[in-house]
Amino acid sequence: WNDIHPDNKKDVGERMALAALKKAYNENIVYSGPIFKSASIESGKIIISFSHTGGGLITRDGDELKEFAIAGADKKFVWARARIEGSKVIVWSEEIADPKFVRYAWADNPVNPNLYNKDGLPASPFRTDK
C-alpha cells in the first residue's frame, strides 16, 4: 500500500508490452483496460462511458462492481452500487438523491477494483470531481 513498485511485475510488464505493440508497431490489438471517457446524470444515477472497452465490460470475479463512490454537490462521497449495461456503467446510491460526481478505485490501495474489459485488462482509477 505504501510502495509505488508493484509486487506483480509480470502483469505490469505484459501490459507495457501490449502498449508497445500497439503504439510502436501499430498492431491491431486491445492494449488498454477501460478508461473513463464521460459521465452523464439521469434520474438520480450517473452513467459512465469508457474508451478501450475491447470486447465489452465485465467484472474480474463475476461479483458486483466494487470501489465506486458518488457524491452530490457537497462532495461527500458514499459507497455506491454499480452495474454494467452494455459498454457503460450505471452508478447510484439511495443516500444521494442528486448525484454530481463519481470516483472509481480512488484510493492509495483500493480493496477490490474489479472492472475489466473482456480482454482481461483492468479499468484505470478515475474521478470526476476535479
Side-chain angles (χ1 to χ4, degrees), residues 3-76:
D3 188 352
I4 64 168
H5 302 285
D7 290 334
N8 184 353
K9 291 176 177 38
K10 182 176 185 272
D11 285 350
V12 174
E14 288 174 351
R15 287 196 300 255
M16 291 177 75
L18 287 173
L21 289 171
K22 176 67 176 183
K23 299 289 186 176
Y25 298 102
N26 202 29
E27 289 195 20
N28 187 21
I29 60 171
V30 176
Y31 68 97
S32 173
I35 295 177
F36 172 79
K37 182 166 54 173
S38 65
S40 62
I41 300 167
E42 292 180 23
S43 304
K45 297 178 180 177
I46 299 179
I47 301 162
I48 305 166
S49 297
F50 297 89
S51 58
H52 301 284
T53 56
L57 299 175
I58 61 168
T59 59
R60 172 186 61 195
D61 51 13
D63 202 355
E64 289 184 19
L65 285 168
K66 304 280 194 300
E67 299 294 325
F68 280 93
I70 64 172
D74 62 1
K75 294 188 179 181
K76 292 183 180 177

Side-chain angles (χ1 to χ4, degrees), residues 36 46 48 50 59 64-70 77-84 89-93 101-106 112-115 123-124 126:
F36 172 79
I46 299 179
I48 305 166
F50 297 89
T59 59
E64 289 184 19
L65 285 168
K66 304 280 194 300
E67 299 294 325
F68 280 93
I70 64 172
F77 282 85
V78 299
W79 292 117
R81 300 198 54 209
R83 74 172 177 268
I84 297 167
V89 171
I90 313 301
V91 186
W92 75 97
S93 171
F101 308 105
V102 63
R103 292 177 178 175
Y104 172 69
W106 198 256
N112 186 26
N114 62 351
L115 178 61
S124 296
F126 67 87

